[in-house]
Amino acid sequence: MDTENLRSFLEVAEHGSFTVAANRLNLAQSTVSARIRGLEEQLGRRLFVRDRDGVTLTPAGRQFLPHASSITRTWEQSRQDIAVPDGYETLLRLTAPAYLWDLITSPWVEWMRARQPNVALRLEGSFPDLAIDQLAEGLLDICILYLPRPHPGIVYETLAVDQVVLVQHAAQTKPWTENYILMDWGLEFRIEHDHAFAGMVKPAISAGLVFIGLQHVLSRRAAAYLPLSAVSGHIERGEMRRIDNTPVFQRPIYLAYPSNPVSSDVLDVALTGLRSLAKDWTSDQGFSEGDRSFSMAGRM
């Protein structure tokens, strides 16, 4: 049975749409439809019913759903397990925001190479929700993220507290409100942002990823609330400036990992390294005089 057919089946079942499934898989809709037909021919049962509200599972489809999910997870885990390079004992997989490379990921790689030279490392980037699912399915070992999502079998702890500050492109002379991208850091931030800027017209552009906000500020000479760890270098080089007398939001950075890892000794060393490297983050980011601080503690 082709696992790609199973992936298409799971996407259609989750979203109730061949079109959405095709977009998520970066495939033509006709390809997804052909995969589903092939799967139905193999099983000898119809799996979906199309109606005005979209696509729904047939009784056979609902019965097949947990099996398809289990087969896909097992295949992915097997593929990852045999991907350990020759000469190494095991593989440790970590995902973290790209902008944290210089601050945490790169030093952590050096930490691991010095202490666990027989462990191969795989570094990835993904959306938080996807990363949590991958952790739960055993496809990731450690995840660094901002927005935790409670999930059985996953442990969360606060790794550090980052400051989210209002910055503007250094070449922009107009008020920051005239070219502002709203970064969506979660419900707590939206509430506190609306309170701090009551009456502000909702910006036409919003984003949920630091990379997008950072590039927009640089390329469009815009303003945005971004983590100080992501913009400090740009401020030092004179590419951006902080907006004075505006609130500073404190945003926890979380460490997520499985409660029952396959290799607990290796995971313990990796976590110790991350905690050690992040230990001084908060103390190194001092508030300037006149800043108003808001806490965005994640709700677990």
Side-chain angles (χ1 to χ4, degrees):
M1 185 172 291
D2 192 336
T3 57
E4 295 304 318
N5 290 355
L6 296 179
R7 290 182 184 280
S8 296
F9 167 76
L10 292 171
E11 288 290 344
V12 175
E14 179 178 357
H15 300 286
S17 169
F18 280 80
T19 301
V20 174
N23 289 336
R24 288 180 58 85
L25 293 169
N26 197 27
L27 296 171
Q29 184 174 337
S30 59
T31 301
V32 173
S33 297
R35 287 180 175 181
I36 299 302
R37 285 196 301 272
L39 193 57
E40 290 176 331
E41 290 174 0
Q42 285 182 298
L43 295 171
R45 302 291 295 275
R46 192 176 181 185
L47 299 175
F48 293 104
V49 175
R50 296 175 183 258
D51 54 35
R52 291 180 299 177
D53 297 327
V55 180
T56 58
L57 287 165
T58 64
R62 289 194 296 271
Q63 188 174 11
F64 181 63
L65 183 61
H67 298 290
S69 180
S70 177
I71 292 169
T72 302
R73 286 197 303 270
T74 300
W75 168 254
E76 287 295 337
Q77 183 62 59
S78 299
R79 188 172 64 87
Q80 293 289 343
D81 287 344
I82 65 173
V84 179
D86 293 340
Y88 294 90
E89 296 178 357
T90 188
L91 175 69
L92 190 72
R93 298 148 298 187
L94 174 141
T95 183
Y99 79 91
L100 291 177
W101 174 262
D102 289 335
L103 189 64
I104 186 70
T105 311
S106 180
W108 175 79
V109 169
E110 294 183 14
W111 169 285
M112 290 297 296
R113 300 307 305 133
R115 291 163 178 78
Q116 294 286 326
N118 293 326
V119 176
L121 304 176
R122 182 178 178 85
L123 310 175
E124 300 180 353
S126 62
F127 292 97
D129 283 348
L130 177 59
I132 296 306
D133 290 337
Q134 291 175 327
L135 271 177
E137 294 169 4
L139 303 179
L140 275 176
D141 301 293
I142 303 174
C143 178
I144 299 174
L145 72 168
Y146 280 112
L147 299 175
R149 173 167 58 88
H151 197 294
I154 294 180
V155 177
Y156 292 100
E157 65 177 76
T158 301
L159 178 65
V161 178
D162 209 349
Q163 291 187 33
V164 180
V165 299
L166 182 57
V167 295
Q168 183 181 36
H169 193 283
Q172 181 57 265
T173 58
K174 296 180 181 179
W176 64 268
T177 52
E178 292 189 17
N179 189 10
Y180 178 62
I181 177 173
L182 177 63
M183 301 303 298
D184 187 357
W185 301 133
L187 178 61
E188 288 80 12
F189 174 77
R190 292 196 297 270
I191 292 173
E192 293 170 352
H193 181 279
D194 290 346
H195 177 75
F197 301 104
M200 179 181 181
V201 176
K202 186 176 181 180
I205 303 175
S206 61
L209 293 177
V210 172
F211 174 79
I212 294 176
L214 189 61
Q215 293 304 310
H216 186 79
V217 170
L218 292 172
S219 63
R220 307 303 298 177
R221 296 187 175 184
Y225 262 102
L226 292 168
L228 185 58
S229 56
V231 300
S232 57
H234 297 283
I235 294 173
E236 292 172 2
R237 292 190 295 271
E239 299 167 348
M240 296 181 185
R241 62 172 175 271
R242 286 181 61 173
I243 303 299
D244 295 331
N245 301 317
T246 53
V248 174
F249 299 94
Q250 295 185 64
R251 191 178 189 216
I253 301 174
Y254 292 96
L255 195 58
Y257 49 91
S259 56
N260 294 304
V262 175
S263 179
S264 59
D265 292 341
V266 172
L267 183 64
D268 287 344
V269 173
L271 294 176
T272 298
L274 290 169
R275 293 172 186 134
S276 177
L277 293 167
K279 186 176 181 180
D280 298 327
W281 278 7
T282 304
S283 60
D284 288 344
Q285 293 183 10
F287 289 101
S288 63
E289 186 176 353
D291 282 341
R292 290 174 290 157
S293 173
F294 294 80
S295 174
M296 290 189 292
R299 295 177 182 175
M300 301 294 289

